[in-house]
Amino acid sequence: MTETVDALAGLVAGGGVVVLSGAGLSTESGIPDYRGPSGAARRHTPMTYQVFTRDTFARRRYWARSHLGWRMIARATPNEGHRAVARLQRGGLVDGIITQNVDGLHSAAGSVSVVELHGRLDEVVCLDCGNHTSREEVDRRLREANPGFDARVAAVNPDGDVDLADEEVAGFRTVDCALCRGGMLKPDVVFFGETVPAARVARCFELVAGARLLLVLGSSLTVMSGRRFVLRAAKSGIPVVIVNQGPTRGDGYAALTVDAPLGRLLPALADRAMPGAGGGPGVVGAGGLTGVGR
Ligand SMILES: [Zn+2]
């Protein structure tokens, strides 16, 4: 695996890297990857925009689950992988970061100008007046509206979902927009069945067009929302490197694929790609990176 880190570092050391990250980068922060290797085991299908906006009970269920799951998301902290990406950016090797994650952990690790393709779970938008509120504030209002609401937290999805019985959902009170009084609130994340705002997509294509290398980190590239950037890079002759645990739908376009835990590989990569920037080569032993393929 040392050879793989060297090959990867050789590509990254040239700079002009644009990172495209997915759920696999945050699993080591305790946020489950529901599309990853264990994704088939997820308990329920993700909420769609159409169901959220049209089905009152489904919306109440979403907020009730999400209210409970939010605590776990809110206390998640960046892992070594996020920190290594921030280090590569500070070192001038990474020009841009596009993330499919809604957890805000790239920014929390010190990365700047992160394009959050699917939005952020810590922000809430009013679908009627467009007002943005912090999730913290909405969470406080939800707690006030549901004194004593207590349910067991079972499995948590990346969008902060937990399993709840119908009776528990029926007793849950959602809250409306405090500004326009009555507007429907929605976490400011892109749901299934919803399109990413055009300006945000354009910004991503712009980043990819200017890249010397597209580095995919922890995404199985299952949805076109992220995969399209790999296709665009490949079409433009920009090399694509994919680091992920398990195969991805972009492997056929990649110049190099690496199957390794990101929290271990990325610090080693940063050390090798920037030997003068602290750490130095060989800090992470090769043994830590072997035998991790599936
Ligand atoms: Zn409103």
Side-chain angles (χ1 to χ4, degrees):
M1 189 55 84
T2 309
E3 286 166 23
T4 307
V5 175
D6 285 344
L8 198 52
L11 290 165
V12 169
V17 177
V18 168
V19 167
L20 170 62
S21 69
L25 184 59
S26 290
T27 48
E28 290 167 70
S29 290
I31 299 175
D33 174 7
Y34 66 108
R35 284 188 211 284
S38 60
R42 72 169 184 258
R43 301 206 191 170
H44 41 258
T45 50
M47 175 59 78
T48 65
Y49 183 80
Q50 288 73 18
V51 170
F52 184 86
T53 51
R54 290 173 198 164
D55 182 336
T56 310
F57 191 80
R59 186 164 61 250
R60 186 178 296 159
R61 174 181 291 280
Y62 178 91
W63 273 116
R65 283 173 172 161
S66 180
H67 176 58
L68 294 167
W70 168 246
R71 295 173 206 167
M72 301 180 92
I73 302 286
R75 67 169 177 249
T77 55
N79 63 55
E80 290 304 316
H82 296 108
R83 281 193 278 273
V85 171
R87 192 145 60 93
L88 288 166
Q89 190 180 33
R90 278 196 302 275
L93 300 185
V94 167
D95 286 351
I97 299 167
I98 302 165
T99 187
Q100 297 172 284
N101 299 341
V102 295
D103 51 38
L105 293 180
H106 273 298
S107 305
S111 283
V112 292
S113 307
V114 180
V115 182
E116 290 167 311
L117 192 61
H118 296 158
R120 283 181 71 115
L121 206 55
D122 63 359
E123 285 170 21
V124 174
V125 63
C126 171
L127 295 180
D128 292 293
C129 77
N131 184 51
H132 279 75
T133 321
S134 75
R135 179 58 180 264
E136 202 180 353
E137 168 65 12
V138 171
D139 197 50
R140 188 188 58 75
R141 292 180 56 210
L142 284 171
R143 260 183 280 123
E144 273 176 17
N146 297 279
F149 182 79
D150 185 41
R152 293 175 310 283
V153 176
V156 175
N157 282 346
D159 45 348
D161 238 6
V162 289
D163 275 343
L164 282 178
D166 282 357
E167 311 85 80
E168 288 169 314
V169 176
F172 191 81
R173 290 184 58 204
T174 57
V175 297
D176 297 326
C177 177
L179 188 69
C180 72
R181 308 244 166 222
M184 187 188 292
L185 296 181
K186 173 183 162 294
D188 196 15
V189 296
V190 176
F191 280 17
F192 282 82
E194 194 177 5
T195 51
V196 178
R200 206 182 290 166
V201 176
R203 172 74 189 124
C204 294
F205 276 127
E206 197 182 305
L207 278 172
V208 172
R212 200 189 50 81
L213 179 78
L214 180 63
L215 178 61
V216 179
L217 302 176
S219 173
S220 53
L221 299 168
T222 311
V223 287
M224 189 46 97
S225 164
R227 190 163 73 248
R228 59 186 156 180
F229 303 118
V230 168
L231 301 180
R232 177 65 66 90
K235 200 175 166 189
S236 312
I238 297 161
V240 176
V241 171
I242 301 176
V243 185
N244 189 59
Q245 287 196 269
T248 83
R249 287 192 65 186
D251 288 356
Y253 302 94
L256 177 67
T257 61
V258 181
D259 191 323
L262 294 151
R264 283 188 186 174
L265 182 119
L266 294 177
L269 167 64
D271 289 343
R272 301 282 167 96
M274 304 185 297
V283 170
V284 172
L289 296 171
T290 53
V292 293
R294 281 168 192 274

